Amino acid sequence: MPPAGGTVRPDHAPGRGPVAARSDNRRVSDDENGTPATPAGPHPDPLRFFGTTWVDHEGGYAARRAGVAAGSLAAAVVGCLVLRFAYQGLEIAAVGRFVTLMVVGMFAVCSALAFGHTWGSFGKRPDPDRQASLRGLLAIGFIGSLLAYFFRSLTEAPGEKLHREEYETAREQYAKRTARRTRNPSRRQRSS
């Protein structure tokens, strides 16, 4: 309900409570407040465990690669120990040789498939639908995925080659677009 004067205050809307007043202050640009401006153009995508240190191989890149290699190998060893305990549990339960061989074979096949899939995903982007359908297989074959991370991190950050190709392609396309814009005759100013 409006106040007695018949006008509604701008900072209060009927039935909605207080409304934040509009600010007419202009925004301070990056140059005016002393912070560096964000460079124009495409930005690199961060990699898991590496951020964007893979671009120039600085900011602890070598230490991160060593950490990923050591961590993935240690996790694979721990995973193998857990599977050994599971195998011993099957022997204690005396489920039979056939079931034991099937379980061991399943883990071996799933680990090999997970290794191949993970290794291939470092070179090209996997299909999201296929990735979702393989989630169970990758979970069972986690040792293969960990070993793929270990071996890839010996030479580069896992996925670095793919991200570098995409980033360089995006930079080239951006450079071509900006070069075309600077040569556009319709943007030239007419002399009076």
Side-chain angles (χ1 to χ4, degrees):
M1 188 112 193
T7 60
V8 176
R9 292 188 340 232
D11 64 339
H12 182 74
R16 290 195 224 158
V19 176
R22 279 188 8 201
S23 172
D24 292 330
N25 293 339
R26 66 182 180 87
R27 190 172 174 188
V28 178
S29 69
D30 289 339
D31 294 335
E32 292 176 3
N33 66 10
T35 58
T38 305
H43 301 287
D45 291 335
L47 284 174
R48 182 182 295 158
F49 306 120
F50 292 91
T52 56
T53 61
W54 61 268
V55 176
D56 296 323
H57 291 184
E58 55 188 27
Y61 172 80
R64 290 176 190 226
R65 255 186 51 203
V68 167
S72 59
L73 184 61
V77 168
V78 169
C80 287
L81 289 175
V82 169
L83 290 179
R84 176 162 171 82
F85 290 137
Y87 177 77
Q88 288 176 343
L90 290 174
E91 284 184 343
I92 291 170
V95 293
R97 195 138 183 83
F98 179 72
V99 173
T100 304
L101 288 175
M102 276 186 44
V103 170
V104 170
M106 176 193 63
F107 275 105
V109 169
C110 288
S111 292
L113 291 173
F115 179 90
H117 177 75
T118 305
W119 190 266
S121 69
F122 295 145
K124 67 175 188 168
R125 295 229 180 243
D127 178 34
D129 294 332
R130 184 170 185 263
Q131 185 81 8
S133 67
L134 291 176
R135 189 172 294 137
L137 181 133
L138 294 173
I140 294 170
F142 67 98
I143 293 176
S145 293
L146 290 170
L147 290 176
Y149 262 88
F150 168 71
F151 286 119
R152 180 60 86 166
S153 61
L154 294 177
T155 57
E156 68 175 8
E160 177 181 344
K161 180 180 177 184
L162 172 66
H163 280 71
R164 188 171 300 283
E165 289 172 357
E166 291 174 349
Y167 178 56
E168 288 175 359
T169 302
R171 285 177 50 194
E172 289 170 5
Q173 291 173 350
Y174 176 78
K176 288 178 184 176
R177 282 193 311 267
T178 55
R180 262 187 274 154
R181 277 190 228 137
T182 57
R183 290 181 287 161
N184 189 350
S186 66
R187 296 194 63 169
R188 291 184 191 155
Q189 294 181 352
R190 295 180 184 172
S191 56
S192 338

